[in-house]
Amino acid sequence: MKASFIDIRRYSIEFKRHLLQYLVLFLGLDVSNQLLIIPTFRYVTTLILQASAIPFISYQNILTIITTQPVAFILLILELVLLISIIYVEFSSLLLGIQGIKSDNFSLSWTYQQVINSLKLIRPSSLILLVGYFILIIPFVDSIYRTPLLAKVQVPQFIMDYMTRSAWLATGLIVFFAIAAILGLRWVMTLPLMSYQEMNTYSAMKKSWQLTAHKRWWQIVKALVLVGVLSVLALAISWWLIYCCQLVWDLLPKQAAFIGASINMLLIQLTSEVAAIWSTVVSILLITSLLKPEDIEIRRPKRRSKLLAGVAGILMLVFLADTAVNNNFYLKDNNSKAPLIISHRGVSDHNGVQNTISALKKTAKLKPDYVEIDIHETKDKQFVIMHDENLEKLAGLNKTPKDLTLKQLISLTVREDGHQAKIASLDQYLKAVKKLKQKLLIEIKTTPRDSKMMLENFNKKYGRLILNNHYQVQSLDYHVVSDLHKINPKLFVLYIQPYNFTYPHSVADGYAMEYSTLNNNFIWQAHLDHHPVYAWTVNTQEVMQHMMFIHVDGLITDNVELAKKTISSYSSKTSYASRLKNYILIFINVTSYNA
């Protein structure tokens, strides 16, 4: 550990000496991502989908796209290949730039030429290997250098929650991540070797395996953990001092307090940016210290660029201008509309069995804006309130709703969290909510065994009632969304998305998105189309605060009381010091659950 401290100190001195150049390198990559690469890919994807009349990309319709729109599928695959190449270019630029800066030979044109040389080594045959390599090292690299291009490459939180409910699944998950982590660490030198020595993917992976043998990878882990701890401590101290400073500023007149808050919020973001760059640079230098000096065969530039200072100034101005505009909106956002509170499956904090009337009666007392329920079609083409396709978990019966008639289903008792209740029909539930004056968000579940006229029957029986009571409908099945829109255009129907691939251009009236891949860009586009966005399933105060920060329109939650308290607390903190504190907490939370 002492040796790691010495190395970190030495690299930190180097970092301080070349701070301007590191800012150019990192801000250049960030600005390129935000203003050029990401918008371009978004535009091209949208163009391909619109030209092919494909409303969205999801795991549900991948097979349909392949079979009915092969040209679009090929174009999307080519776009994916290009994206992988750009990710490779970005990381190569980072590695080459850091080594160039360290050796006092950094130039933008030289870095560009070196990246082009390494890019030429990529062959179609090595792309699959490169993709597999990126998948393995993404969790590891993401903790060192965060890039927006890899932000969506993560497992949605609802899948992780499902996997941890079973001891066997949880054990398998732990074993898988342990193996992936070790392999990722053993192959962590692959990209540096490809960049520095212009090796092909296979040769670089082979040499990386040799370089990290004899538990040398464990030395890397210990050093990186130390870098992380030091970074967190530095940020915590700086943020605390800035917050205390704002407490004093808030004693001044409102305009002066606002100016102070603008400066302090900018300082928070600058310290965060510098800390992130420092930890990345030091981490990469620690990792590449496994290489011998002769292994880093970098051709030096003939002369240093005179444009460096100018480029640094332009990048800094772009960064500051973008940050200042966003900060102004955040600090002056006094009239932000509180999100709707939607009780997930009609329960709150384990107060009953999901989707039952007894739980509804308890939850309605908490006054959520909506109660969300799930419905299945029965054997006799009626509708029952049930989430799972199989009754085994709650009723102890290995049957599906399609196997039983409505009469048989409502005679069954379901048990959960120490509670028990009878299964309810949709008619029974609707009578109960009418007495309680409670609005509903009805999710339509589908199976291959559903009748062809299911949606027509649903609309005929409940369409007018839903409209009269201002209820809403949603579904994970896009065919439900599109077909209901044709059958009854007046119905308000949301499309549920478990993963944020890209913004869909669909007939949906709104979207319900799994929170871990939801971002402000998706919400911004939805709001331009006047479509609300609900986040599910949001059960912690930190995630609720983040969802409010990016302006979601509804929180689908298992804890109504916590949502009410969080919204009240978040909205009532009108002092600038409180807003800065909120921002810091949200920043910490986003970093933690995206890591």
Side-chain angles (χ1 to χ4, degrees):
M1 192 62 74
K2 184 179 179 181
S4 297
F5 265 114
I6 293 171
D7 287 337
I8 290 171
R9 184 175 181 275
R10 177 160 55 90
Y11 294 143
S12 297
I13 293 171
E14 287 288 325
F15 174 79
K16 182 180 178 182
R17 190 161 67 91
H18 298 292
L19 179 59
L20 178 64
Q21 293 169 307
Y22 284 123
L23 285 174
V24 171
L25 177 63
F26 281 81
L27 289 179
L29 289 172
D30 188 56
V31 170
S32 297
N33 278 326
Q34 301 291 355
L35 300 184
L36 179 63
I37 297 172
I38 293 175
T40 300
F41 272 96
R42 186 182 300 129
Y43 174 78
V44 170
T45 303
T46 301
L47 195 65
I48 293 171
L49 296 180
Q50 287 182 339
S52 307
I54 301 171
F56 61 93
I57 301 175
S58 168
Y59 66 87
Q60 294 178 304
N61 71 337
I62 288 295
L63 186 60
T64 303
I65 293 174
I66 294 171
T67 55
T68 63
Q69 298 288 348
V71 174
F73 177 72
I74 292 170
L75 290 174
L76 291 170
I77 291 297
L78 290 174
E79 188 183 10
L80 178 61
V81 170
L82 181 59
L83 178 61
I84 293 168
S85 300
I86 289 176
I87 291 171
Y88 171 77
V89 167
E90 184 168 312
F91 279 100
S92 291
S93 300
L94 194 67
L95 291 165
L96 290 163
I98 287 173
Q99 286 297 336
I101 292 169
K102 180 175 177 289
S103 60
D104 284 317
N105 285 293
F106 177 67
S107 107
L108 295 175
S109 59
W110 166 79
T111 303
Y112 169 77
Q113 185 58 50
Q114 292 294 98
V115 169
I116 294 299
N117 290 339
S118 63
L119 187 61
K120 291 177 181 177
L121 294 170
I122 298 179
R123 300 287 184 269
S125 58
S126 66
L127 270 175
I128 296 176
L129 199 60
L130 194 60
V131 170
Y133 167 70
F134 273 126
I135 290 172
L136 276 175
I137 69 162
I138 278 170
F140 177 69
V141 170
D142 204 38
S143 63
I144 298 172
Y145 172 58
R146 300 192 62 80
T147 169
L149 290 179
L150 295 178
K152 294 182 182 180
V153 185
Q154 59 177 303
V155 180
Q157 190 60 42
F158 78 96
I159 293 179
M160 299 298 293
D161 292 341
Y162 174 79
M163 294 289 286
T164 54
R165 289 175 190 170
S166 163
W168 286 105
L169 288 175
T171 302
L173 193 65
I174 292 169
V175 171
F176 170 78
F177 278 122
I179 294 172
I182 293 172
L183 290 176
L185 286 165
R186 293 298 303 273
W187 284 325
V188 73
M189 301 301 297
T190 302
L191 201 55
L193 288 166
M194 291 176 70
S195 300
Y196 298 151
Q197 294 194 335
E198 298 183 0
M199 286 185 173
N200 60 47
T201 308
Y202 176 76
S203 299
M205 292 177 77
K206 186 177 179 180
K207 186 165 184 177
S208 177
W209 192 270
Q210 296 169 350
L211 289 169
T212 55
H214 309 297
K215 293 189 177 179
R216 290 192 189 121
W217 59 269
W218 181 241
Q219 298 172 16
I220 296 174
V221 172
K222 290 190 292 185
L224 294 181
V225 168
L226 183 57
V227 170
V229 170
L230 292 174
S231 179
V232 168
L233 285 174
L235 282 176
I237 293 169
S238 64
W239 287 346
W240 182 79
L241 291 173
I242 292 170
Y243 172 72
C244 290
C245 179
Q246 187 58 46
L247 289 173
V248 176
W249 275 96
D250 280 351
L251 299 175
L252 300 175
K254 189 172 182 180
Q255 189 59 34
F258 172 75
I259 294 172
S262 300
I263 294 171
N264 284 329
M265 191 167 178
L266 186 60
L267 285 174
I268 290 171
Q269 291 156 333
L270 284 174
T271 54
S272 303
E273 189 72 21
V274 172
I277 295 173
W278 171 82
S279 62
T280 300
V281 170
V282 173
S283 297
I284 288 175
L285 291 175
L286 285 167
I287 292 169
T288 54
S289 65
L290 291 178
L291 294 171
K292 296 176 182 179
E294 57 267 26
D295 287 331
I296 307 177
E297 298 174 357
I298 300 178
R299 291 189 290 273
R300 309 302 181 194
K302 296 179 180 178
R303 59 187 179 84
R304 296 178 64 182
S305 173
K306 296 179 180 180
L307 297 175
L308 192 60
V311 173
I314 293 171
L315 291 172
M316 186 58 72
L317 283 174
V318 171
F319 173 78
L320 292 176
D322 179 66
T323 303
V325 170
N326 291 329
N327 291 354
N328 183 70
F329 279 120
Y330 174 70
L331 292 171
K332 287 189 172 182
D333 191 14
N334 295 319
N335 300 315
S336 180
K337 186 179 178 181
L340 299 171
I341 298 175
I342 303 163
S343 169
H344 185 226
R345 304 184 192 177
V347 296
S348 178
D349 197 20
H350 310 287
N351 64 352
V353 184
Q354 58 179 278
N355 284 311
T356 60
I357 292 173
S358 58
L360 165 70
K361 291 177 179 178
K362 297 175 186 177
T363 302
K365 292 178 182 178
L366 303 174
K367 300 187 182 303
D369 296 290
Y370 286 88
V371 161
E372 185 259 353
I373 60 170
D374 308 278
I375 65 169
H376 274 278
E377 188 184 44
T378 66
K379 184 178 180 179
D380 52 348
K381 298 180 178 55
Q382 302 299 312
F383 293 95
V384 67
I385 312 294
M386 176 64 60
H387 176 273
D388 296 347
E389 188 174 338
N390 194 289
L391 300 167
E392 178 71 32
K393 181 181 176 182
L394 296 180
L397 182 65
N398 188 21
K399 295 284 185 180
T400 70
K402 289 298 294 183
D403 294 326
L404 305 173
T405 64
L406 182 63
K407 185 177 180 180
Q408 290 172 318
L409 284 162
I410 62 176
S411 68
L412 297 174
T413 299
V414 285
R415 296 173 175 82
E416 186 178 40
D417 295 325
H419 304 278
Q420 65 178 39
K422 292 290 185 181
I423 293 177
S425 68
L426 180 54
D427 290 319
Q428 291 172 328
Y429 206 93
L430 288 170
K431 288 179 182 178
V433 295
K434 185 178 180 180
K435 290 180 181 179
L436 297 168
K437 297 181 180 179
Q438 175 64 62
K439 289 184 178 181
L440 286 181
L441 173 59
I442 304 169
E443 179 177 344
I444 299 178
K445 296 286 188 179
T446 58
T447 72
R449 299 170 61 192
D450 293 330
S451 65
K452 293 181 180 180
M453 299 298 290
M454 182 185 76
L455 294 179
E456 285 83 351
N457 294 335
F458 172 81
N459 177 68
K460 184 178 180 180
K461 193 169 184 180
Y462 305 109
R464 184 178 295 277
L465 182 147
I466 290 171
L467 289 172
N468 290 341
N469 291 282
H470 305 289
Y471 297 163
Q472 296 179 357
V473 180
Q474 65 175 2
S475 183
L476 186 65
D477 187 338
Y478 185 71
H479 293 294
V480 171
V481 178
S482 59
D483 290 349
L484 272 182
H485 186 265
K486 295 174 185 175
I487 295 168
N488 190 345
K490 293 182 180 179
L491 289 178
F492 190 91
V493 186
L494 298 104
Y495 174 46
I496 303 172
Q497 290 193 279
Y499 201 95
N500 180 15
F501 282 105
T502 184
Y503 183 74
H505 293 272
S506 69
V507 298
D509 298 298
Y511 300 96
M513 174 74 72
E514 200 276 331
Y515 78 85
S516 63
T517 60
L518 181 58
N519 55 38
N520 53 5
N521 178 67
F522 185 97
I523 294 172
W524 173 73
Q525 290 186 79
H527 287 175
L528 283 179
D529 291 336
H530 306 289
H531 291 155
V533 179
Y534 301 161
W536 58 272
T537 305
V538 184
N539 291 328
T540 66
Q541 186 179 49
E542 294 78 17
V543 177
M544 290 175 184
Q545 288 176 335
H546 178 227
M547 292 300 103
M548 285 186 281
F549 180 74
I550 61 176
H551 298 292
V552 298
D553 302 282
L555 303 176
I556 300 177
T557 178
D558 292 316
N559 197 325
V560 174
E561 287 183 293
L562 178 63
K564 288 201 165 210
K565 290 177 183 177
T566 303
I567 292 172
S568 176
S569 174
Y570 186 89
S571 303
S572 64
K573 291 180 178 179
T574 55
S575 72
Y576 291 120
S578 296
R579 293 188 179 208
L580 292 183
K581 183 180 178 182
N582 268 341
Y583 180 82
I584 291 170
L585 292 174
I586 290 165
F587 179 87
I588 293 171
N589 173 63
V590 173
T591 302
S592 64
Y593 79 66
N594 281 340

